Amino acid sequence: MRFFFALAGPLQVSKSNATTVLVLPLKTQEIKSPPSKLPFTHNVTLTVSLAVGTPPQNVTMVLDTGSELSWLQCNTTRRDRPVFDPTRSLSYTPIPCSSPTCTIQTQDFSIPASCDSKNLCHAILSYADASSSEGNLAMDNFTFSGSNFSGTIFGCMDSGFSSNSDEDAKTTGLMGMNRGSLSFVSQMGFKKFSYCISGSDFSGILLFGDSNFTWLLPLNYTPLIQISTPLPYFDRVAYTVQLEGIKVSQKLLQLPKSIFQPDHTGAGQTMVDSGTQFTFLLGPAYTALRNEFITQTANALRVLDDPNFVFQGAFDLCFLIPINSSGLPELPPVSLVFRGAEITVSGEGLLYRVPGEIRGNDSVHCFTFGNSDLLAIEAYIIGHHHQQNIWMEFDLEKSRIGVAKVRCDLAGQRFGIYH
């Protein structure tokens, strides 16, 4: 099962004595596709529609809080996906490799930028799902919601490898939204952005600017963690927060605080990432949660006893649910406790029905918390599945993330966005 968000027409909401806010309605659509065996599949995608170039060309870009450089597919010989044609834009400007943009601002890239044969700034981007994209850095005009952002830096990519061609066929590129200097939100200059991801068939919302409207529930804030010294396994431009504990129902797992702290190499940070589907925990925390969840659901769920089945390489706790059952039994909620805030996952958010997996008269549902150790990922990652129906505010000015439990479809209606 895969969800995509298609963008309807944008709105501008102005407030007195405040900066104009850009509001983007997000429409959810369920698309059936074969299950991916790769980790970090993007089953929920926030897709932003905008215009790039002079004259403007319409593009769609996947919103990703776990990436820095925005990019567009510029290989016009490809017929399998939408592309941006730089030769048709009078305002398109390639960036030379001698530019400070290339020599200084790309320092947080996992692979340093280089010079190509034409002395242009060349970038290779790689992602956790084994996909990659390669091309040159450039500038052009980006326009959406009636606002023009001239001289926006992005990657104009002409090659790469995709682990999810079905999804890529629907988008022109990716909009990087992390804390790096070249990310889209950094270049736009907005101090805040927010989103609210709905479940299937309801409208969600993406908002640039201050979301402090009177109807919104009070947000609980957790500070973003920053370090001054570069460490090999610490992503300094990620949205890193401090995980302090995990609860099943109201039972706090007995875990030492030290396992939630990054070590001397930077391994063990906790990142909030809209580009990752589920949530991943390091081995000791995952094992403790797995054991407690099994204990508390012993009378309600039947564990799938098949050591050869591990969903997406990291989810080894799965259950058998009768196909003819009307729904899931009552499940104990799981709460991720952060410094100053909590995210609680309950009901259907705890189990994911694996498409195509049938065992006799039962379907297979897997626990939506995975084991980072099985993927050799040295981090805790909070995925978008566990951010559904939560107002997520990224406050860059005060270096914090705010969360509040809301109905995202109702939140959209407050802005005049209806299903």
Side-chain angles (χ1 to χ4, degrees), residues 75-255:
N75 187 340
T76 56
T77 64
R78 296 188 63 168
R79 295 291 180 263
D80 58 341
R81 67 179 296 173
V83 299
F84 170 74
D85 187 351
T87 64
R88 289 172 44 207
S89 174
L90 299 175
S91 49
Y92 177 85
T93 306
I95 293 176
C97 54
S98 58
S99 165
T101 296
C102 190
T103 58
I104 298 174
Q105 289 187 276
T106 62
Q107 291 179 353
D108 288 315
F109 289 9
S110 57
I111 302 173
S114 60
C115 271
D116 70 1
S117 59
K118 298 179 181 179
N119 289 321
L120 298 179
C121 189
H122 190 76
I124 301 175
L125 306 177
S126 59
Y127 300 94
D129 65 355
S131 62
S132 62
S133 191
E134 184 172 353
N136 290 335
L137 265 62
M139 292 190 299
D140 211 329
N141 298 334
F142 281 58
T143 305
F144 70 97
S145 197
S147 298
N148 180 33
F149 301 93
S150 60
T152 299
I153 299 164
F154 69 105
C156 198
M157 303 313 211
D158 53 21
S159 64
F161 168 77
S162 172
S163 64
N164 198 331
S165 57
D166 287 342
E167 177 185 326
D168 287 344
K170 300 171 179 65
T171 59
T172 322
L174 180 143
M175 181 180 286
M177 291 289 286
N178 73 9
R179 303 166 75 192
S181 65
L182 289 180
S183 79
F184 196 74
V185 68
S186 295
Q187 291 191 62
M188 284 193 302
F190 280 109
K191 301 302 182 184
K192 286 183 183 179
F193 71 94
S194 309
Y195 58 72
C196 200
I197 306 172
S198 293
S200 172
D201 297 329
F202 290 100
S203 296
I205 188 169
L206 166 67
L207 185 149
F208 290 101
D210 192 353
S211 62
N212 189 25
F213 292 87
T214 55
W215 58 267
L216 190 60
L217 292 174
L219 296 171
N220 291 316
Y221 288 97
T222 186
L224 291 169
I225 305 301
Q226 302 180 81
I227 63 167
S228 56
T229 305
L231 295 175
Y233 293 105
F234 192 95
D235 185 345
R236 292 195 296 168
V237 291
Y239 294 105
T240 301
V241 294
Q242 184 58 62
L243 183 62
E244 294 192 330
I246 302 171
K247 294 188 295 188
V248 183
S249 286
Q250 290 303 311
K251 182 178 180 180
L252 184 67
L253 301 182
Q254 295 304 302
L255 293 165

